[in-house]
Amino acid sequence: MTIKESSFKWAVAAMAFSLLVYSFLMWQRKSASAQGDMKVYHSIATQLSEGKIPYRDFTVEYPPLALVPLVMPHLVSLETDLDYRTYAFLYTLDSLLLMLAFAVVLLQVARRWPNALSRWQLLSVYLLFIILSRDFLLWRYDLFPALLTLLAFSAVLLGQPLRAGIWLGLAITAKLYPVILVPVMLVYYVVGRQYRASLALLAGTGLSILLVVVPMMILSDNRVFSFLTYHQLRGLQIESSAAGLLMMVHLPDLTQVSTEFNYGAFHLLAAGVDPVLKVLPWLFLAIFGGLLALFAFRLQRDYRRSGAVSAESLLVCLLATLLIFIITNKVFSPQYLIWLLPFVLFLRVQQIAVVGVIFLLTNLVYPVFYPRLVDPTVFGVLLLNGRNLLVIGLLVQLLKKAGWIRRGPF
């Protein structure tokens, strides 16, 4: 074993130990009472272990493959009746394994990525992001679809479009948001004249979705898509970019603004909410359509010059797509930042630093100063908009650095 290999194994071991200690401390801190999403997970897993059929016998707000990480504590313990504290402990251990698996795939991608951080640097920054995600990583399941998305990205880099499609389809059935990444990967293959690869991507995506959804449709009496109605009925969440702007408009008199808790989150009540909710989906489609057109144009120019398409451009477009979706969404839950992890660690150092600041500010928004947003204060509104403005700034900086938009005076 070389010195380099030995030091790397020590780095992995040190990270695993750090994650273990971190997970234990977070479990001790959070598991004293049943609250938040973990309470929902525990309820769903308990009903599944009792033999009840999701979507038919009880309401589920998540896509079908999301049930896998939720029920895992019961499968590990072989117990059908777990109290909340035991369930939370086992769920934390499962999250730890997911974090380690994510790190392994990150390192595999880094080997094929030009100008990637060194393995030590990559693991250190990854660990830092996990620590900055303290209140919305271990206690949510978003790392699961993020890992599936990272596996899809890795498969594309390896020239395995069918496998990429399969991983992407599984990610869609776990969280739904990765569906917006399918057109991006499709454009990447089509512009590069890889027509068979584009068909393989679609086939893999469709096949994996069908294998998950069809059995659940049969079991649930065609109620598996009820979770879509649940999210359609949600209002404008107070952490969203649009809610932040509306609160800024009412900043001179915040007594005109209030919030209400329903559908598992706090939503904004203020003048202008209803028109904004109607505009946001169209705003996303318009901006996303423009991004895809710009992406196709850039790739065609690269292909004419070199006969190949750039994986770096693919990374930029995948990340930009997620940022646009988050910015224009009516919901901006803290765990949405986990969706960015498959891609942000391969950015330039300055951009990674900006992402780190976004993670830090999100911690301040939730949970540190969240009461000042639930009952809006000037400080809470300014903090939220500062975070959201930085997310928009990251998108603009990303496109400028890639040369996709002209550099302005700043």
Side-chain angles (χ1 to χ4, degrees):
M1 181 185 299
T2 65
I3 295 177
K4 189 174 182 180
E5 290 174 342
S6 177
S7 64
F8 175 64
K9 288 187 175 181
W10 275 109
V12 173
M15 188 193 70
F17 178 75
S18 300
L19 289 177
L20 180 61
V21 173
Y22 168 77
S23 302
F24 177 76
L25 292 175
M26 288 300 297
W27 169 71
Q28 287 282 76
R29 177 173 174 263
K30 281 285 196 175
S31 63
S33 60
Q35 56 183 348
D37 286 14
M38 186 62 72
K39 181 180 179 180
V40 176
Y41 296 172
H42 180 237
S43 174
I44 291 174
T46 300
Q47 293 180 83
L48 283 170
S49 67
E50 292 171 350
K52 294 181 180 179
I53 304 299
Y55 309 104
R56 188 193 71 183
D57 299 334
F58 62 95
T59 302
V60 179
E61 61 185 271
Y62 310 112
L65 201 65
L67 301 176
V68 172
L70 305 194
V71 79
M72 194 59 66
H74 286 276
L75 298 179
V76 170
S77 64
L78 301 179
E79 295 286 342
T80 58
D81 185 20
L82 290 176
D83 63 88
Y84 175 80
R85 189 170 172 81
T86 303
Y87 175 86
F89 176 72
L90 293 175
Y91 189 91
T92 302
L93 291 182
D94 291 337
S95 297
L96 172 63
L97 294 177
L98 269 179
M99 288 187 285
L100 291 173
F102 197 96
V104 171
V105 182
L106 274 177
L107 292 171
Q108 291 175 346
V109 174
R111 291 173 187 167
R112 300 182 295 275
W113 193 258
N115 304 318
L117 298 174
S118 70
R119 292 182 293 188
W120 274 93
Q121 291 172 331
L122 189 69
L123 291 178
S124 299
V125 175
Y126 172 60
L127 181 59
L128 177 61
F129 277 133
I130 286 176
I131 294 171
L132 289 173
S133 309
R134 58 182 197 139
D135 281 293
F136 49 89
L137 191 150
L138 282 173
W139 298 83
R140 305 291 191 274
Y141 80 92
D142 291 72
L143 194 62
F144 178 60
L147 173 60
L148 295 172
T149 304
L150 179 60
L151 287 166
F153 182 56
S154 177
V156 171
L157 297 180
L158 285 171
Q160 300 170 336
L162 179 62
R163 186 173 297 180
I166 291 172
W167 288 124
L168 200 55
L170 292 176
I172 291 168
T173 59
K175 190 67 178 181
L176 200 61
Y177 79 86
V179 70
I180 62 176
L181 304 182
V182 176
V184 177
M185 292 187 177
L186 196 59
V187 168
Y188 172 77
Y189 282 127
V190 170
V191 173
R193 309 294 193 271
Q194 300 182 61
Y195 302 117
R196 289 185 179 179
S198 62
L199 292 176
L201 176 78
L202 291 176
T205 304
L207 178 63
S208 57
I209 290 175
L210 288 175
L211 288 176
V212 173
V213 172
V214 170
M216 190 57 69
M217 286 181 64
I218 297 171
L219 289 172
S220 67
D221 295 336
N222 294 322
R223 299 177 190 176
V224 68
F225 296 110
S226 60
F227 72 92
L228 293 175
T229 303
Y230 175 92
H231 291 287
Q232 184 180 6
L233 294 174
R234 295 184 64 171
L236 190 64
Q237 192 214 21
I238 58 174
E239 296 158 74
S240 65
S241 300
L245 290 175
L246 279 177
M247 284 189 282
M248 282 294 291
V249 171
H250 291 93
L251 201 58
D253 185 10
L254 286 175
T255 58
Q256 301 179 34
V257 175
S258 61
T259 62
E260 67 174 352
F261 186 85
N262 51 36
Y263 298 97
F266 284 96
H267 297 94
L268 183 67
L269 297 176
V273 167
D274 289 338
V276 167
L277 285 172
K278 293 177 181 178
V279 168
L280 285 178
W282 298 105
L283 181 63
F284 167 73
L285 289 175
I287 299 176
F288 179 49
L291 177 69
L292 276 183
L294 182 60
F295 179 50
F297 172 77
R298 295 290 301 187
L299 287 187
Q300 284 178 343
R301 191 173 70 174
D302 292 345
Y303 188 81
R304 286 195 299 267
R305 289 178 177 177
S306 61
V309 291
S310 167
E312 197 167 347
S313 292
L314 173 63
L315 175 77
V316 170
C317 195
L318 289 171
L319 186 52
T321 296
L322 289 175
L323 289 172
I324 289 170
F325 181 70
I326 291 172
I327 291 166
T328 60
N329 205 323
K330 65 180 181 179
V331 178
F332 188 169
S333 296
Q335 63 267 26
Y336 286 11
L337 295 183
I338 305 302
W339 304 352
L340 308 179
L341 283 183
F343 311 113
V344 294
L345 292 174
F346 303 106
L347 297 175
R348 294 177 174 89
V349 174
Q350 297 91 335
Q351 293 168 326
I352 294 175
V354 173
V355 177
V357 175
I358 292 172
F359 271 68
L360 178 61
L361 289 177
T362 299
N363 266 291
L364 295 178
V365 171
Y366 176 87
V368 179
F369 295 110
Y370 205 57
R372 300 192 185 186
L373 203 55
V374 173
D375 185 11
T377 65
V378 172
F379 175 79
V381 172
L382 292 178
L383 177 62
L384 172 68
N385 279 278
R387 191 281 306 269
N388 291 342
L389 186 62
L390 197 57
V391 175
I392 297 171
L394 174 64
L395 172 63
V396 174
Q397 184 192 55
L398 188 68
L399 297 177
K400 280 186 177 181
K401 290 289 185 183
W404 290 24
I405 59 178
R406 292 183 179 181
R407 298 177 183 272
F410 303 105

